[in-house]
Structure formats: C-alpha cells, structure tokens
Amino acid sequence: MSMLKLAFQNFQRSFKNYISLVISLAFTILIFFNFQNLIDSHIFDSLGEAVFRNVEIIIQIITIVLICFMLFFIWYATNVFLSKRKKDIGIYIFMGLTNQKIGQLYMIETTFIGLMALLFGIVSGIITAQLFQMILFKLSDISIDLQIGFSLKSVLIVSAIYFLIYLIFVCKGYINIVRSSVLEMVSASRQNEYVRQNHFILIMKTIVGMGFLCTGYYFAIKKGGMDTINNAMLAVVLVIVGVYLLFGGMIPLLFQTLAKRKTFLYKKERNLWVNNIIFRIKKNYRTYAMVSVLMLCSVTALATGFAMKERHDGIVHFRNTYTFQVMSPKKDLYKDFSELIDKNNDIEYSGEVSFLQVDSSYIDERFKNASYGFLSYSQVKQLAKDTHFTFDFTIPKDNEYIRVDRKTLMTIITDNTHETIKINHQEYQIADYTTTPYLGYMQEKTAFYMVNDTVYQQLKSIGEEFYLYNYKITNPYHFAASIQDIQGHSDCMGLIKMDPQDDELQWVRILYSLCIFMFMVFVFASGSIIFMKLYNDAFEEKERYQVLQKIGISKKTLKHSITNELRFAYAAPLLVMTISSYFSIRALANMVQTDLLMINIISVIAIIIFFTICYFLSTSIYQKNAGIKS
C-alpha cells in the first residue's frame, strides 16, 4: 500500500476527530480572505483618495494582525494534531516503518487537513464576501456601490500565505517525528502531563506574576504626557507576562493546596476533577493564558471601535457648530453679515467674539503650534450665552489661562494639570481645559487660550485683534446660497463655510465596523481554542473514564466531574480577562477622553454568553467522546 493511500485512509477514518481543527482553520482563512478582498476589490476608491489611503493603512495593519494570528493558530492546530497522532503513528514502527517514513505519512495526512481547511475557508469567503461588505458599510453608515464577486488576487495571496505558514509547521512536525524515539511516540499522550509541580516554584511564579500584573495595571491607567505611549506598551508586555505566570503559578498552586485539604477534596466529585485539573494544568495553562489575552484583545478592539465612533461624531458636530465663520479686522459688523445671510437662509443662532492673534515668537511652550489666539473671558462667556453652550468656568487669575482646545480622535497627553506656557517671558499656569466648540472650526486651526479681561488688554501690545462673526443656519445644506453675498462684503477678510456632506473622517466609521469584526474574530478564536483543546482531551481521557466505570463509579458522577472541570476551563480565563479588561479600557478611555465603562460591561457580557454556549456544547461533546454519554 502506498504512503499516499495509507495517509488518505487514516484521514477518512479519523475525520470526525479533525472537524474542530478544520472548522477553526477555515474560519481564520475566511476572515483573512474577506479583509484582503476589501483592498484588492478597490471598493473604497469612490470614497476619495484620502479616505482610501487611511482605510488601506488600517486594513493592512489588521491584515498583519490576522497573519500573526493565523501563524499562531496553525502552530497550535498542528501541535494538537501531532500530539493526537504521535501515539498512533508510533505503532507503525513495530510494523517495520522507519521514522522518516512515519514522518512522511504525518506530512501527507496533515496536508489533507490543511487543504480541506483552505478549500472550506476560500469557498466560504467567496460566498460571504458581498455579505461581509454589506454588513461593513451598513455598520459604517456609508452608501457605496457594492461589487458582486471576488478578487482572484485575494484568493492567491491568502492561499500562498496560509500554505507557506502551514508548510513551515508541517515540516517542523516531520522533524519532530524523525528525531523522536519509539518510547516517546508510544507514550506521547501522557508525556509531560500528569505531573505535580514543585510548590516553591509555584509560589515564586505566583508572586512574580502578580507583581507583573499589578505593575502592568498601574502603567495602564497612569496619566502622563509624552510617556503615555511608552507606559501603554510597557503595560501590554507586563500584563501578558503576568497572565502567563498567573496561570502557570497561582492556578496550580491554588488547586494543589485545595487537594491537600481532605475535607474539601472528598466532597461530591471533587477528587475526580480537582486532581485532573492539577495533573493537566502544566500542559493546559498556556492555553488558558493565551485565551485570556485573546479575549482581552477582543474587548479592547470593540471599545476602540465605539470610542472612535463617538469621537468621530463629536468631531463632526464640533466642526459643524457654525455654518459660517467670518473673520474681519473691524468690529460692529455682526448685523451687516446677519442681513446678508438672511437674504437666502434663516439663522438658527449666532454670536461674535474678538481674539488676539499673537506671533509664535512670543510664545514658549512644550509643544509649538503654528498659530496662537487669546480670548477674553467675558467675551467667551457672552458668546456661550448667545449660542446656548454651557459655561461654568471661574475667572482665571492673572497668571492663569484656560485652554480652549479642539477635539481629537486620540491624545497621548492624558494629564495636563501641570501644563505651563510663557507669553512674552511671563509664565502662565493652566487653570482649566475645555473642548467645547465655542469657536467651532477655528479651534482646529488655532491654539486658543482664554485669559481674564485684564490680561487680554495687556496682551494687545504683542498681538493683532480680529473679530469673528459666527452663524448657524437652519438648513446647512443650503449654505452655498449665502457664500457670494458674504464674500462680497468689503470687510470680509476670511470666510469658513462648512459643508455638512463633506466628511473627511469617513475612514473612522469604517474603522468602527472593522473593530466590531475584530471583536467577533478574537472572541470566536478564544472559544475555538478552548473548545478544540477540550474536544481532543476527551479522546485522551476515554480510557481513564472506562476504567473508572469498571470500578463502579456511576456515569452520573463522572458527568458531574466533567461539568466542573470544563466549567473551570472556561471560567478561569474569563475571570482574568474581566479584571484585566477594566484596566485596559480605562487606559483607552484616558486617551480618547470618553467614558467606556458601559462598553466594557457589554463586551464582557457578550463574551460570557458566547462562552456559556461553548461550555454546554463542549460538555455534551466531551461526554460523548469520552464514552460516558447515555
């Protein structure tokens, strides 16, 4: 019998054992294909060059993340397959086959799995490509002509990357088999698994892990200036290492300690499932840590999407505070421009304010701006009253200012309480900070500082005073009718006109949709990893459960034991993720200046619901594969 035929027979006979592997790999390929197809189909071309460029960068970044995820997932899947097959293929040695022949058999059989996953993934991706685009643009609230079909380039790119990664790990498995002894392959299913770990080492891992974790949490929520990015990166590394050590130290330490308490251990079915967790934790703790990190990434991705959408909506509203902003060197022209606008449009609200434009050579601060403007406290207060904005600031002292800033998608400056600025060699301390759009779009172009009226008068000696007349019309879509009249005025030095249909930040709405997809991908991946792990563990435990039934332990007792063991497998990563997600979302909230607590709660609840479904499915399938299903 040829090696190809033997491998194919093995594949057919054991196909049900590979279903979880094939489905998980196919889903990874499906997602990767759909993201790649978005770029190769040029569907974003109609949104404009700037939007297309930003969206392309975002999808390329996500694609890199997906490739890294695919690399990890294929590595994990091939390792599971190798550990499952190593004992079986070790028997072939007694039939006279060399390690090289057995390695070739493994490579061919694994290639069948990989090709089936690739076929399912690509076909599913092609079928769902248009649906994926429809959902994406529906979530983004963008009208665009969808393209029916798919890009052949996407098929080739995804297939090539997947096959290259898969081939690397298949070759790695081949080398592993060639270098393995007969004893290693025959006893592979129990190798490095049923081991109680050294108590002292577990204590040290727990202490170090908790130290890393708490330090990571601290850096995650610590506010600062330019060091915020470094703090965030440090927090990511510390939390990942901390989670890894927590599962490798604290969890086995806890269960080994509980196992020594006989009053606890011999109640109900605890002797069965507690000892089983202890024996298997050395092999499984990496999986639990991995799942916790993936779920943490999913919660962060979803929160990022909602934060970006909220900031996008805020920026659009910010920019459209006024339809027209007229700048003039002359005062008392408010009524003149109002009459010009009233010819063709109705004014909803309006207001005027003056500001001092100061040359940057007079300003000394940490971050230089191209243009500086200074506002009078009393005038801004009156403008807020005219335009119905809240204004609850106290009058700044002579050495203080209030920063009137623009809205941004994200800021790395999360603590500005110690911010200072030197104006004409005089130092001023920040008293308050606001992003309320008192001056609308002008706040995006100029760094404005509000001072008291006395300081404002003093600064006139180094600045030039301009007057800004602001108008919001009831029908912004009819703004073009008043442009010519306003610009025709002899004292109109400059005009800012806002087109409500001009949205250069459309890419942010697309990012919001992509973040939702990434959330679903990571959550599904997390559930798949645990499900796949438990699915395969059931076959390895089948013999043990058969022995336990023969010595008189009822199926009901064994089912309760399995239920408790699997509940821990899902609950432990969930608990660690829930605690860690609070700090990661707090860090993100500081950077986007948005309250994300409700998003955090909703995302965690969504993951709990999904994991609960996976838990019940795993319990049923585990009992069946272990041979105790009634």
Side-chain angles (χ1 to χ4, degrees), residues 216-270:
Y217 292 158
Y218 167 75
F219 279 110
I221 63 176
K222 181 184 177 184
K223 292 185 176 181
M226 291 298 293
D227 57 341
T228 301
I229 293 295
N230 292 333
N231 290 343
M233 295 300 296
L234 185 60
V236 170
V237 174
L238 289 173
V239 168
I240 291 175
V241 175
V243 169
Y244 183 85
L245 292 173
L246 186 71
F247 279 104
M250 185 176 180
I251 303 299
L253 177 65
L254 174 64
F255 278 92
Q256 286 187 190
T257 303
L258 290 174
K260 292 180 180 179
R261 298 178 58 184
K262 306 306 178 185
T263 55
F264 170 84
L265 187 63
Y266 293 116
K267 288 182 179 179
K268 301 180 180 180
E269 305 86 13
R270 291 172 184 166

Side-chain angles (χ1 to χ4, degrees), residues 389-559:
F389 283 115
T390 57
F391 189 90
D392 52 4
F393 305 104
T394 57
I395 301 176
K397 298 177 182 178
D398 289 348
N399 65 337
E400 292 180 339
Y401 68 90
I402 298 172
R403 179 70 183 267
V404 184
D405 208 353
R406 63 193 179 104
K407 276 187 178 290
T408 56
L409 288 174
M410 185 175 290
T411 178
I412 60 173
I413 309 298
T414 56
D415 182 13
N416 54 19
T417 56
H418 303 292
E419 186 178 319
T420 61
I421 182 173
K422 284 186 178 181
I423 308 171
N424 201 21
H425 307 295
Q426 176 68 40
E427 185 171 277
Y428 294 82
Q429 180 75 35
I430 188 170
D432 215 329
Y433 174 87
T434 180
T435 57
T436 305
Y438 297 118
L439 279 76
Y441 188 72
M442 277 292 290
Q443 282 177 222
E444 291 200 359
K445 301 302 179 183
T446 303
F448 281 106
Y449 301 87
M450 191 194 314
V451 295
N452 64 42
D453 294 359
T454 303
V455 174
Y456 182 81
Q457 293 298 325
Q458 293 172 355
L459 293 176
K460 282 186 175 181
S461 60
I462 60 170
E464 185 177 1
E465 191 169 31
F466 292 98
Y467 298 88
L468 192 64
Y469 305 98
N470 310 287
Y471 305 90
K472 174 72 172 181
I473 61 176
T474 54
N475 184 11
Y477 295 95
H478 195 242
F479 75 101
S482 299
I483 293 176
Q484 189 172 356
D485 291 330
I486 298 173
Q487 290 179 333
H489 195 285
S490 59
D491 292 317
C492 174
M493 189 179 73
L495 171 65
I496 296 175
K497 49 191 181 299
M498 300 307 301
D499 182 355
Q501 293 181 316
D502 183 17
D503 186 5
E504 65 184 35
L505 294 176
Q506 279 185 323
W507 63 271
V508 178
R509 288 190 282 171
I510 297 173
L511 173 62
Y512 160 70
S513 305
L514 294 177
C515 284
I516 294 177
F517 278 108
M518 292 304 294
F519 167 76
M520 293 189 292
V521 169
F522 284 130
V523 170
F524 182 86
S526 304
S528 296
I529 289 173
I530 295 185
F531 184 89
M532 187 164 53
K533 179 63 182 170
L534 297 176
Y535 182 92
N536 293 298
D537 284 350
F539 290 102
E540 297 177 4
E541 292 298 313
K542 188 173 183 178
E543 292 180 8
R544 187 172 73 90
Y545 283 114
Q546 288 176 346
V547 172
L548 290 173
Q549 289 181 74
K550 288 178 181 178
I551 63 176
I553 299 178
S554 67
K555 287 187 176 181
K556 182 179 179 181
T557 300
L558 293 177
K559 287 180 179 179

Side-chain angles (χ1 to χ4, degrees), residues 127-365:
I127 294 172
T128 60
Q130 190 172 6
L131 176 63
F132 180 82
Q133 294 173 7
M134 289 173 59
I135 296 174
L136 175 69
F137 290 111
K138 182 65 176 177
L139 290 172
S140 305
D141 193 24
I142 294 176
S143 298
I144 196 170
D145 293 329
L146 297 179
Q147 295 184 2
I148 300 176
F150 63 94
S151 168
L152 180 60
K153 180 182 177 182
S154 301
V155 175
L156 297 176
I157 290 176
V158 172
S159 300
I161 293 175
Y162 168 80
F163 190 75
L164 178 62
I165 296 173
Y166 200 85
L167 184 62
I168 291 172
F169 288 108
V170 169
C171 293
K172 177 178 175 291
Y174 171 81
I175 295 171
N176 187 302
I177 291 174
V178 169
R179 294 180 177 177
S180 297
S181 65
V182 179
L183 181 61
E184 285 176 341
M185 287 192 279
V186 171
S187 62
S189 63
R190 295 287 181 236
Q191 202 171 38
N192 295 325
E193 185 174 348
Y194 295 132
V195 181
R196 283 182 178 269
Q197 301 175 67
N198 184 281
H199 203 72
F200 176 76
I201 294 176
L202 293 180
I203 292 175
M204 293 303 299
K205 277 187 175 182
T206 301
I207 294 173
V208 175
M210 290 298 295
F212 272 102
L213 209 54
C214 292
T215 306
Y217 292 158
Y218 167 75
F219 279 110
I221 63 176
K222 181 184 177 184
K223 292 185 176 181
M226 291 298 293
D227 57 341
T228 301
I229 293 295
N230 292 333
N231 290 343
M233 295 300 296
L234 185 60
V236 170
V237 174
L238 289 173
V239 168
I240 291 175
V241 175
V243 169
Y244 183 85
L245 292 173
L246 186 71
F247 279 104
M250 185 176 180
I251 303 299
L253 177 65
L254 174 64
F255 278 92
Q256 286 187 190
T257 303
L258 290 174
K260 292 180 180 179
R261 298 178 58 184
K262 306 306 178 185
T263 55
F264 170 84
L265 187 63
Y266 293 116
K267 288 182 179 179
K268 301 180 180 180
E269 305 86 13
R270 291 172 184 166
N271 186 37
L272 293 173
W273 67 270
V274 169
N275 278 307
N276 204 33
I277 288 175
I278 293 171
F279 292 145
R280 299 183 71 88
I281 195 67
K282 187 173 182 180
K283 182 179 180 182
N284 290 347
Y285 80 90
R286 296 180 183 87
T287 301
Y288 299 146
M290 188 189 312
V291 168
S292 292
V293 172
L294 274 175
M295 286 192 292
L296 187 58
C297 291
S298 71
V299 173
T300 306
L302 186 65
T304 300
F306 276 94
M308 291 296 101
K309 184 178 185 300
E310 192 276 339
R311 297 302 288 179
H312 166 269
D313 294 343
I315 290 173
V316 171
H317 176 74
F318 187 102
R319 292 179 173 180
N320 288 277
T321 301
Y322 305 111
T323 311
F324 300 112
Q325 290 185 277
V326 187
M327 193 166 70
S328 175
K330 291 186 179 182
K331 63 185 303 186
D332 300 328
L333 296 177
Y334 171 74
K335 290 185 178 180
D336 292 8
F337 291 114
S338 296
E339 291 173 357
L340 292 174
I341 295 172
D342 280 333
K343 289 181 181 180
N344 298 291
N345 283 292
D346 294 324
I347 297 175
E348 182 179 344
Y349 59 80
S350 59
E352 60 179 318
V353 67
S354 66
F355 68 92
L356 293 174
Q357 188 169 18
V358 177
D359 190 87
S360 59
S361 60
Y362 290 97
I363 308 299
D364 183 17
E365 64 171 346

